[in-house]
Amino acid sequence: MQHIAPVTTTEHKIGKVTYLVCSSASERATDTLDKKIKKLIRKDMEQNAGNARK
């Protein structure tokens, strides 16, 4: 049987954009929550910048 970690939802506002972040702990994780959020936001910004150029 697998252990299911509880999910935590947090809200992060950057400028006019609000990010809802759902997270759960992993025993194998190497990134901190802050590093993970920064990576997700950076990836989103890169994707949106690519779409804006089209």
Side-chain angles (χ1 to χ4, degrees), residues 6-20:
V7 176
T8 302
T9 302
T10 55
E11 184 176 301
H12 297 271
K13 291 184 180 183
I14 300 175
K16 295 180 181 179
V17 179
T18 301
Y19 295 89
L20 294 177

Side-chain angles (χ1 to χ4, degrees), residues 1-5 27-28:
M1 179 190 270
Q2 284 187 329
H3 179 266
I4 299 174
E27 293 179 11
R28 299 179 294 151

Side-chain angles (χ1 to χ4, degrees), residues 12-40:
H12 297 271
K13 291 184 180 183
I14 300 175
K16 295 180 181 179
V17 179
T18 301
Y19 295 89
L20 294 177
V21 180
C22 300
S23 61
S24 60
S26 170
E27 293 179 11
R28 299 179 294 151
T30 57
D31 282 347
T32 64
L33 181 58
D34 288 340
K35 286 182 184 178
K36 185 66 175 177
I37 291 171
K38 286 178 184 178
K39 285 181 184 179
L40 291 169

